[in-house]
Amino acid sequence: MTLDAQLAYLKKGLAELIREEDLRERLVESQKTGRPLRVKVGFDPTAPDLHLGHTLVIRKMKHFQELGHTVFFVIGDGTGMIGDPTGRNAMRPAITREEINRNAETYKAQIFKLLDPVKTEVRFNSEWLGKLDFFEVLKLCAKYTVARILERDDFAKRYKEGIPISIHEFLYPLSQAYDSVFLHADVELGGTDQKFNLLVGREIQRDYGQPPQIIGTTPLLEGTDGVEKMSKSKGNYIGVTEAPKDMYRKVMGISDDLM
């Protein structure tokens, strides 16, 4: 496949690519050196199922694999303890380590229905986040300002409305960014709602002396409520391993008693 054809294939279905010229350069470098690109996507195990909304970004992961690149399926058992504040109008309820571990196991069982296991590395971000000592966390926090964090629409809205924001929520985008630093990510994929977090990753990588990752965002899939995005925490999702009857019931809005 020519370079232009590869770019067209990888751009297909993306809402945004930052930056296309950077991706072109890395594809050229990959061809010259034989080193596959390192493509990272993170999933917090806050519920037991991967859902149809996830398949939009997983499909794009598959496209990179088909072109010979390595995908890192990052299970956020570390960031999951914080809870992604993206799109939240209140602090996300904490979940236990036991719940996270249980949900993570189901992720591992589900992803290879879609991805090539030979070209996929499953990693848990507690592997590196759990080894950061207090002073290393302070060093990471010093690389970003409160003003920049408050540029996020969800944080800005909560701050303006006087809704509490806990300090640990500020650590979420920084922790996700450190995932990219540790894995030396060339590309990070995520939904359009993740754009802020992904951009933080670019900046933090620069601060650690790494080339900034390319960002690819995919559209959000509407949930079964017809209003919000499909989300585990909102309970409006269709799991990829659910029985066809259960999928149909959710799509049609039929209660369990009528099936």
Side-chain angles (χ1 to χ4, degrees):
M1 192 180 289
T2 66
L3 181 61
D4 286 339
Q6 290 182 50
L7 274 172
Y9 188 53
L10 295 175
K11 287 168 56 181
K12 183 179 179 181
L14 288 180
E16 189 172 10
L17 177 63
I18 305 173
R19 302 170 31 207
E20 181 176 341
E21 53 268 41
D22 292 343
L23 180 56
R24 177 183 289 273
E25 288 177 6
R26 298 218 194 166
L27 288 172
V28 169
E29 182 182 357
S30 177
Q31 289 180 335
K32 287 180 179 178
T33 63
R35 183 185 76 84
L37 296 186
R38 299 167 68 85
V39 183
K40 167 208 165 195
V41 185
F43 297 85
D44 285 350
T46 52
D49 293 318
L50 292 173
H51 57 67
L52 296 186
H54 290 135
T55 64
L56 298 181
V57 70
I58 294 174
R59 177 172 175 267
K60 187 52 58 181
M61 296 164 73
K62 181 70 171 177
H63 290 171
F64 275 95
Q65 287 187 332
E66 289 171 350
L67 294 179
H69 303 295
T70 301
V71 162
F72 290 87
F73 187 97
V74 179
I75 297 178
D77 61 329
T79 45
M81 297 296 291
I82 301 172
D84 187 358
T86 300
R88 306 286 295 187
N89 57 12
M91 186 173 66
R92 184 184 294 275
I95 60 176
T96 66
R97 167 59 63 181
E98 290 71 24
E99 289 175 300
I100 285 178
N101 291 342
R102 185 167 59 248
N103 295 340
E105 287 303 313
T106 66
Y107 281 20
K108 289 197 295 181
Q110 293 170 8
I111 59 169
F112 296 127
K113 293 179 180 295
L114 301 165
L115 297 178
D116 182 347
V118 176
K119 298 176 182 176
T120 305
E121 286 196 32
V122 179
R123 303 291 289 270
F124 291 79
N125 65 6
S126 63
E127 172 191 341
W128 50 86
L129 294 180
K131 292 178 181 178
L132 292 176
D133 63 29
F134 181 69
F135 296 102
E136 289 171 317
V137 173
L138 288 181
K139 179 182 176 182
L140 178 60
C141 291
K143 296 181 181 296
Y144 221 72
T145 67
V146 172
R148 293 299 306 278
I149 289 287
L150 287 177
E151 289 177 5
R152 286 183 61 141
D153 290 341
D154 38 24
F155 279 150
K157 186 172 185 291
R158 286 166 63 184
Y159 184 73
K160 182 178 180 180
E161 295 176 1
I163 299 172
I165 304 171
S166 294
I167 294 296
H168 82 288
E169 294 182 85
F170 287 170
L171 293 179
Y172 189 93
L174 295 175
S175 300
Q176 182 174 333
Y178 190 77
D179 294 348
S180 296
V181 170
F182 185 87
L183 294 172
H184 292 266
D186 291 298
V187 180
E188 183 169 16
L189 303 172
T192 53
D193 60 337
Q194 286 289 310
K195 182 177 177 179
F196 180 91
N197 292 344
L198 305 182
L199 287 171
V200 174
R202 283 175 61 86
E203 294 193 36
I204 297 301
Q205 280 183 307
R206 285 193 188 98
D207 286 337
Y208 278 88
Q210 296 181 11
Q213 63 190 10
I214 292 100
I215 292 171
T217 62
T218 55
L220 301 179
L221 189 65
E222 190 177 88
T224 55
D225 55 6
V227 179
E228 302 277 2
K229 72 164 186 174
M230 188 170 288
S231 167
K232 294 169 293 185
S233 60
K234 297 180 187 300
N236 64 351
Y237 70 94
I238 297 174
V240 296
T241 58
E242 289 189 82
K245 182 176 74 172
D246 293 331
M247 291 185 178
Y248 179 77
R249 174 181 57 78
K250 287 186 174 183
V251 170
M252 301 304 294
I254 302 172
S255 69
D256 293 339
D257 296 337
L258 298 177
M259 290 294 290

